[in-house]
Amino acid sequence: MAGIYVYSDQSRITAELISFARQTGAAAFALCFSIEQAKAIKDFGADKVYVLQGGSPLVENYGRAVADFLKSQGADLFLVGATARGRDIASRVAGHSDCGMVSDVSSVSWTEGRVSCERLMYGGAVIQEELLSGFCVVSIPAGKFEAETGESSEIVVVEVEADNRVILVDTAPIVREGADLSAADKVICVGLGIEKEEDLQLAKDLADVLGAEIGCTRGISEERHWLPVEKYIGISGAAIKPQLYISMGVSGQVQHVVGIRESKIIVAVDTNEKAPIFRAADYGIVGDLYEIIPLLTRALKKDL
Ligand SMILES: Cc1cc2nc3c(=O)[nH]c(=O)nc-3n(C[C@H](O)[C@H](O)[C@H](O)COP(=O)(O)OP(=O)(O)OC[C@H]3O[C@@H](n4cnc5c(N)ncnc54)[C@H](O)[C@@H]3O)c2cc1C
């Protein structure tokens, strides 16, 4: 059946993609690869949830099966959550479908067979608009649309043939610290302005008072290795949209700022009054973080 088909290995992103598809007025269908996944996403308002069963536990083995299924359905568009697994299946489906694909878009709109996407180029310095017509594949990072619940969907199981050339040998859990930043309500972001690893405690104290998560710039995790990589925010890290974002010692280069643009309130503390972060900030404090952050923590402790 014609319409917009969506897939993500994360239920929350599936909900966001279904909600976007519904807003376009098109029929919205969700794909998944197990009954468990289908049950987890059946209340997000899709017209149907299709479970593609081919006997493989690896989503990447379903590239051709998904492409063939979407073709047989006459799908208009395939939206995929831009997670590691989503990006993999998205490119395979586009390849097997011999169609256009746009990756990691910052915005997308669809009207009757025409897709318009925006994506950041050159480290976020340029926004490129891409227009596609006919069936195509678009991958979308988490947090671009509001997730909604809806009517419970019919679950339809479809037997397909998976490509079993890749087999699963073993699995091991990824150990993550703290909550998912993209879903955090408040974020304290640490930049290279902090001098020593133990000074992270300043951010932790403030985060404790506010009930916030800690994030950072890329250098803090990738150069200094003081926080795990899933904690850095920006074009190549997490995109966040908290109610409150407070930075300390973050200069605000464009590659970082694209990841915080959708924050409701941005507060920046930096010694350099010309730091670009102040152009993105709603409230700016020009000052030494070693002086300001403890003051802020103490004041909030008194008031909260
Ligand atoms: C392709 C590409 C992708 C990238 N992707 C990302 C990304 O996803 N995320 C990301 O964060 N970066 C990314 N970067 C790196 C980015 O360009 C910046 O280099 C980085 O964001 C800067 O981090 P920073 O603000 O912590 O450090 P700096 O730019 O060094 O800024 C440190 C700030 O601390 C201030 N400061 C110093 N001492 C104090 C003090 N005592 N009190 C208060 N303020 C103080 C300084 O005035 C300065 O403004 C990317 C770069 C490239 C090329």
Side-chain angles (χ1 to χ4, degrees):
M1 196 184 289
I4 298 179
Y5 287 67
V6 313
Y7 168 74
S8 176
D9 53 312
Q10 294 180 18
S11 303
R12 183 168 61 90
I13 305 179
T14 308
E16 292 172 6
L17 300 181
I18 292 171
S19 134
F20 164 78
R22 286 167 55 91
Q23 279 164 28
T24 66
F29 303 102
L31 295 191
C32 62
F33 301 94
S34 72
I35 295 290
E36 294 71 44
Q37 283 173 348
K39 285 182 182 157
I41 62 175
K42 75 172 176 33
D43 293 324
F44 297 146
D47 289 275
K48 274 184 190 152
V49 171
Y50 288 103
V51 186
L52 270 53
Q53 278 188 342
S56 170
L58 297 175
V59 169
E60 44 273 49
N61 280 345
Y62 288 85
R64 184 181 290 280
V66 172
D68 290 347
F69 174 71
L70 294 175
K71 190 172 177 196
S72 71
Q73 294 291 104
D76 292 304
L77 173 64
F78 185 39
L79 299 178
V80 184
T83 59
R85 183 143 281 149
R87 289 182 180 111
D88 190 312
I89 183 97
S91 55
R92 285 169 197 265
V93 172
H96 287 298
S97 304
D98 196 16
C99 70
M101 171 171 168
V102 196
S103 317
D104 288 25
V105 300
S106 49
S107 75
V108 58
S109 64
W110 182 85
T111 37
E112 291 298 322
R114 262 181 95 73
V115 181
S116 164
C117 302
E118 286 184 340
R119 59 194 294 269
L120 301 172
M121 300 280 292
Y122 305 123
V126 172
I127 298 174
Q128 171 171 289
E129 189 181 2
E130 296 196 21
L131 300 170
L132 297 103
S133 51
F135 174 76
C136 60
V137 180
V138 175
S139 73
I140 305 179
K144 293 292 169 200
F145 314 109
E146 291 293 332
E148 285 164 15
T149 49
E151 304 259 307
S152 195
S153 319
E154 180 192 356
I155 296 175
V156 181
V157 176
V158 182
E159 296 297 332
V160 296
E161 205 172 313
D163 178 346
N164 283 314
R165 282 176 297 175
V166 179
I167 54 162
L168 181 64
V169 177
D170 196 8
T171 59
I174 296 172
V175 181
R176 296 191 192 280
E177 287 174 27
D180 175 11
L181 269 187
S182 63
D185 198 42
K186 295 173 193 137
V187 173
I188 310 296
C189 184
V190 182
L192 293 174
I194 65 161
E195 287 162 15
K196 300 188 289 304
E197 186 173 1
E198 52 265 38
D199 299 339
L200 285 173
Q201 193 56 46
L202 292 173
K204 287 179 184 156
D205 291 343
L206 181 56
D208 282 348
V209 177
L210 287 169
E213 293 298 324
I214 306 269
C216 61
T217 57
R218 190 162 89 164
I220 291 286
S221 60
E222 290 215 328
E223 290 163 29
R224 296 190 184 168
H225 306 290
W226 290 349
L227 287 171
V229 286
E230 63 265 22
K231 292 290 178 192
Y232 85 81
I233 299 162
I235 191 160
S236 33
I240 59 169
K241 48 179 198 179
Q243 294 296 311
L244 176 66
Y245 161 99
I246 302 178
S247 73
M248 43 194 278
V250 172
S251 60
Q253 301 305 320
V254 63
Q255 294 89 354
H256 179 74
V257 168
V258 293
I260 64 167
R261 265 186 196 144
E262 293 187 35
S263 306
K264 185 107 193 246
I265 298 174
I266 297 178
V267 181
V269 180
D270 201 286
T271 42
N272 177 8
E273 64 178 40
K274 295 208 168 71
I277 191 74
F278 290 126
R279 290 203 295 272
D282 299 288
Y283 300 94
I285 302 173
V286 179
D288 186 342
L289 69 91
Y290 288 91
E291 187 189 334
I292 306 293
I293 298 297
L295 279 175
L296 207 54
T297 305
R298 275 203 298 278
L300 287 166
K301 225 182 226 166
K302 240 190 316 174
D303 283 356
L304 293 177

